[in-house]
Amino acid sequence: MDWHRIRSDFPILDQQVNGHPLVYLDSAASSQKPRAVIQTLTHYYERDNANVHRALHELSNRATEAYEATRGKVARLIGAASEDEIIFTRGTTEGINLVANTWGTQNLRAGDVILVTGMEHHSNLVPWHLLAQRTGATLKHIPVLDDGTLDPEAIDSLLNEQVKLFAFVHVSNSLGTINPAKELIAKAKAVGAVTLLDGAQSVGHMPIDVQDLGCDFLAFSGHKMCGPTGIGALYGRMALLESMPPWHGGGEMILSVTMEGSTYKGPPHRFEAGTPDISGVIGLGAAIDYLQAIGLESIQRHDHNLANYAVQRMSEVPGIRILGPQNGHRGALVAFHLDFAHPHDLVEFANSHGVAMRGGHHCTQPLMKRFKVPGTTRASFYFYNTLEEINRLVEVLLLARKFFA
């Protein structure tokens, strides 16, 4: 695979920041977009801009065709049994909130347990806090060990018949930990729990097959996989979706409306009230086409090589503490703490040398407390990054050590 040629598909990477070539290491927050996606968005607005599903004129027909074609692309990308199991959302956060406010409100009661892990993003924690407050359910979590993996003994003791929902992250955005999703889902199914997988850091980075994994729900975001911001998808097993009430009410999700009441369409349109983010969906379809042309297996291998090389090189920096697995099995990011600089100061220093990283708690405040750090600096990678950029990162970290000493 000619990764340097592929990198040239991303015009934003060909620039200087503060007099230095840009080294973009913040893809876990938001990935960059290839020309193919940008051109698709431009084409839509220049040639096909119209509302979907609601007209018979040509522009609406073309927009609707492209919009619904993406639903099929998402279904095939993640191995869904039907494209009707795909609901378009604003991203992972909205997908999780949709489940909490529909399935969760309908099915959870006092005495039930919602189980999460100690490494969850706030998007997979706060909605369950709110749901527990509404329903009287109890929220429990599986602790994280020092090596960044889940405590296996706690999994076995906590995952019992009281658990009605087990929601967990596939790849940690703060540790890089790749959780054994299929194994955890099987354990949850054995006790009758419904499962939700946060795929924000895994979809677009590795092959995903929801039927093989066995999960009931999967949420992910387009902007982390070369797509536009403000778009994502929720996969739900059809039997569950059919049982869930609407969340938002409005146009498009109804069969009939009278002054006395309404009846609703089946999934997925039941959950897509109002005018959707049409361009975002079409752009997501272009991103999926682009990723599949490269191959998710190739992307996963490249991610693996970058992350392991980064751990190796960054370990040479005195005073560094790298969080997460050190055994070579991690997602495409490295979060670390330096004993000589606060993360916010470090990312500002790195920015002055053209290196874009993220510093802070990364929406995982309980995890930062667990590891007794105020926050971390995170370098996150995607297939357009290179080994040379990691070498540049290490150079800047060594310069920072001299600067802050």
Side-chain angles (χ1 to χ4, degrees), residues 32-198:
Q32 297 302 341
K33 323 305 174 194
R35 283 189 180 87
V37 171
I38 297 168
Q39 291 168 352
T40 295
L41 294 172
T42 300
H43 181 273
Y44 166 74
Y45 280 119
E46 289 184 344
R47 304 294 299 172
D48 300 334
N49 182 33
N51 214 324
V52 293
H53 301 139
R54 304 180 189 180
L56 298 177
H57 60 76
E58 182 60 22
L59 298 189
S60 180
N61 290 339
R62 294 203 301 250
T64 301
E65 182 179 358
Y67 180 92
E68 289 300 333
T70 298
R71 203 184 302 276
K73 292 176 183 180
V74 173
R76 290 187 291 275
L77 176 72
I78 64 172
S82 166
E83 62 186 51
D84 289 339
E85 294 179 319
I86 306 302
I87 300 164
F88 291 124
T89 66
R90 289 182 297 162
T92 307
T93 299
E94 184 169 78
I96 294 171
N97 275 274
L98 191 158
V99 175
N101 283 275
T102 55
W103 183 90
T105 300
Q106 186 179 57
N107 289 279
L108 293 187
R109 300 291 181 270
D112 293 338
V113 171
I114 305 165
L115 185 63
V116 296
T117 78
M119 64 177 72
E120 298 307 320
H121 189 282
H122 296 166
S123 294
N124 200 30
L125 187 57
V126 177
W128 310 124
H129 286 160
L130 297 172
L131 178 62
Q133 292 167 11
R134 291 197 304 271
T135 62
T138 301
L139 185 68
K140 296 183 179 181
H141 73 275
I142 299 168
V144 178
L145 300 177
D146 289 344
D147 66 355
T149 62
L150 296 175
D151 183 343
E153 294 183 3
I155 294 171
D156 291 337
S157 64
L158 289 170
L159 197 51
N160 54 45
E161 286 76 10
Q162 287 184 305
V163 176
K164 302 305 178 186
L165 176 72
F166 182 25
F168 67 95
V169 67
H170 196 178
V171 178
S172 168
N173 76 306
S174 285
L175 300 172
T177 306
I178 304 174
N179 284 316
K182 187 173 181 178
E183 175 187 334
L184 293 173
I185 290 166
K187 288 178 179 288
K189 291 175 74 172
V191 298
V194 167
T195 54
L196 182 147
L197 189 62
D198 174 354

Side-chain angles (χ1 to χ4, degrees), residues 247-261:
W247 182 23
H248 295 151
E252 182 56 32
M253 47 78 69
I254 54 90
L255 286 175
S256 66
V257 177
T258 67
M259 296 306 296
E260 292 72 36

Side-chain angles (χ1 to χ4, degrees), residues 30-31 33 37 41 90 221-232 277 279-287:
S30 195
S31 67
K33 323 305 174 194
V37 171
L41 294 172
R90 289 182 297 162
S221 301
H223 71 101
K224 298 180 189 293
M225 49 180 287
C226 296
T229 55
I231 194 64
D277 183 356
S279 64
V281 168
I282 293 171
L284 175 60

Side-chain angles (χ1 to χ4, degrees), residues 7 10 12-13 15 17 20-32 173-174 201 205 223-224 302-303 305-307 309-311 313-314 320 331-336 343 346-347 349-351 353-360 362 376-397:
R7 178 185 171 86
F10 294 80
I12 198 170
L13 300 178
Q15 63 174 293
V17 172
H20 300 275
L22 170 64
V23 177
Y24 185 79
L25 302 178
D26 197 22
S27 292
S30 195
S31 67
Q32 297 302 341
N173 76 306
S174 285
Q201 302 293 340
H205 284 269
H223 71 101
K224 298 180 189 293
H302 191 58
D303 281 354
N305 291 337
L306 288 172
Y309 184 72
V311 170
R313 286 300 324 277
M314 293 166 67
I320 196 168
L333 62 94
V334 179
F336 59 96
L346 182 62
V347 295
F349 179 86
N351 179 64
H353 290 75
V355 177
M357 293 187 290
R358 189 159 295 258
H362 315 293
T376 62
T377 306
R378 184 183 68 192
S380 54
F381 320 109
Y382 212 3
F383 56 86
Y384 41 67
N385 289 120
T386 66
L387 299 181
E388 292 81 4
E389 289 182 312
I390 293 172
N391 291 335
R392 175 59 180 161
L393 167 62
V394 174
E395 289 176 7
V396 170
L397 295 181

